[in-house]
Amino acid sequence: MRLFIAIQLDDKLKETAVNVQDTFRMMNVRGNFTPKENLHLTLAFIGDYSDPDEVLDAMESFSFSPFDITMDKVGCFDELWWTGFAESEELEALVRKLRRALADTGIPYDRKKFKPHVTVLRKPDYSKGRRISHIGIEPASMQVDRISLMQSTRGKNGMIYTEIGSVTAQ
């Protein structure tokens, strides 16, 4: 089973990300837009792992307090456009605790440096539009009060993300 741990976005942040997608569409940029229901902030990508209960146990092995995050920028990694977040010591601390708990339990995860972002567009096609170098964004915030263990499965129309458990802030 393909797993990852994420913050699920509230409606306000999802709308902010969708507005960025709409900007691309208005500029006639095509590509693989992330469906609104799949927009999330990945904290740790685990990949194929057969024991979700073990992952949930690791997630429950530490606590965190509620905190706010602010989506305030748009950027790209090669052929992937994203919305990003203002620097947050609380978010960074949460990711460190989470990844330490996974490592202490022997659960493998992608150890790339954490760069908080929400993927909005993959493989942009500028052939009918113009290449974009910058998109503005109206900052939006939400309170993080839980993290979710998600399962990713491939459906006939793309990826389907299903929450299989969560841990609430204390």
Side-chain angles (χ1 to χ4, degrees):
M1 137 179 340
R2 193 171 156 95
L3 303 174
F4 64 94
I5 300 167
I7 294 171
Q8 296 198 61
L9 304 180
D10 68 8
D11 289 339
K12 183 168 44 171
L13 264 61
K14 283 185 179 183
E15 283 305 316
T16 299
V18 166
N19 289 340
V20 170
Q21 292 176 324
D22 290 345
T23 300
F24 280 108
R25 289 183 178 105
M26 287 186 303
M27 296 177 156
N28 291 315
V29 176
R30 303 291 176 249
N32 297 330
F33 290 95
T34 303
K36 183 177 180 178
E37 64 272 11
N38 285 359
L39 295 168
H40 67 277
L41 170 57
T42 300
L43 304 176
F45 179 76
I46 297 167
D48 290 324
Y49 198 75
S50 62
D51 192 349
D53 289 335
E54 190 174 30
V55 178
L56 282 167
D57 288 345
M59 291 168 62
E60 293 169 348
S61 70
F62 65 91
S63 63
F64 67 99
S65 298
F67 63 93
D68 290 338
I69 56 174
T70 301
M71 184 182 286
D72 68 348
K73 61 181 75 63
V74 178
C76 67
F77 307 131
D78 297 322
E79 293 205 349
L80 183 145
W81 281 90
W82 46 263
T83 57
F85 294 85
E87 190 172 316
S88 167
E89 290 181 26
E90 296 91 347
L91 178 58
E92 293 291 335
L94 172 63
V95 170
R96 279 193 306 276
K97 287 180 185 179
L98 173 61
R99 291 179 173 198
R100 187 176 314 118
L102 293 172
D104 289 349
T105 314
I107 298 168
Y109 63 93
D110 185 342
R111 294 181 181 260
K112 284 185 196 134
K113 180 175 172 32
F114 178 63
K115 294 184 180 183
H117 68 280
V118 174
T119 300
V120 294
L121 172 62
R122 288 180 176 84
K123 299 182 182 175
D125 176 1
Y126 303 101
S127 62
K128 294 185 178 171
R130 59 183 166 94
R131 188 166 288 279
I132 297 170
S133 61
H134 175 75
I135 292 180
I137 186 172
E138 183 69 32
S141 298
M142 69 171 268
Q143 184 178 70
V144 175
D145 57 10
R146 70 190 257 266
I147 58 175
S148 301
L149 177 60
M150 306 293 291
Q151 179 178 5
S152 170
T153 54
R154 185 168 302 281
K156 69 178 186 175
N157 294 320
M159 299 307 288
I160 301 167
Y161 301 148
T162 307
E163 182 181 73
I164 57 177
S166 67
V167 174
T168 304
Q170 299 179 10

